[in-house]
Amino acid sequence: MAVPKAKTSKQRKHTRSANWKLTAPNLSACPQCHELKENHRACPNCGYYDGRLVVEQSKKD
């Protein structure tokens, strides 16, 4: 069974766990409807990607 040779210091332990952080998603404006959308994704508002309609949107009443 593996046993550590030396105690892990608090500094080393906390440094290792300090890199678990979230980053905000990169958002850009849709060229069709100017809503914010994720990069390299079809716009959830209008359904356009790269100037073409790729997702048909249902009518909202």
Side-chain angles (χ1 to χ4, degrees), residues 4 8 10 14 19 24 31-32 34 38 42 46-47 53-54 57 60:
T8 304
K10 289 183 232 171
H14 294 150
N19 292 314
Q32 299 290 326
H34 306 291
E38 289 186 70
C46 65
L53 182 64
V54 292
Q57 298 294 326
K60 296 179 183 175

Side-chain angles (χ1 to χ4, degrees), residues 32-53:
Q32 299 290 326
C33 65
H34 306 291
E35 291 285 325
L36 289 179
K37 67 173 192 70
E38 289 186 70
N39 295 334
H40 305 285
R41 304 284 191 280
C43 178
N45 188 44
C46 65
Y48 275 79
Y49 179 74
D50 199 23
R52 293 179 290 139
L53 182 64

Side-chain angles (χ1 to χ4, degrees), residues 1 7 9 12 14 24 27 32 45-46 58-59 61:
M1 193 158 129
K7 178 181 177 179
S9 68
R12 183 174 291 273
H14 294 150
L27 300 176
Q32 299 290 326
N45 188 44
C46 65
S58 61
K59 300 289 182 192
D61 292 326

Side-chain angles (χ1 to χ4, degrees), residues 17-23:
S17 66
N19 292 314
W20 282 71
K21 53 185 166 283
L22 295 174
T23 58

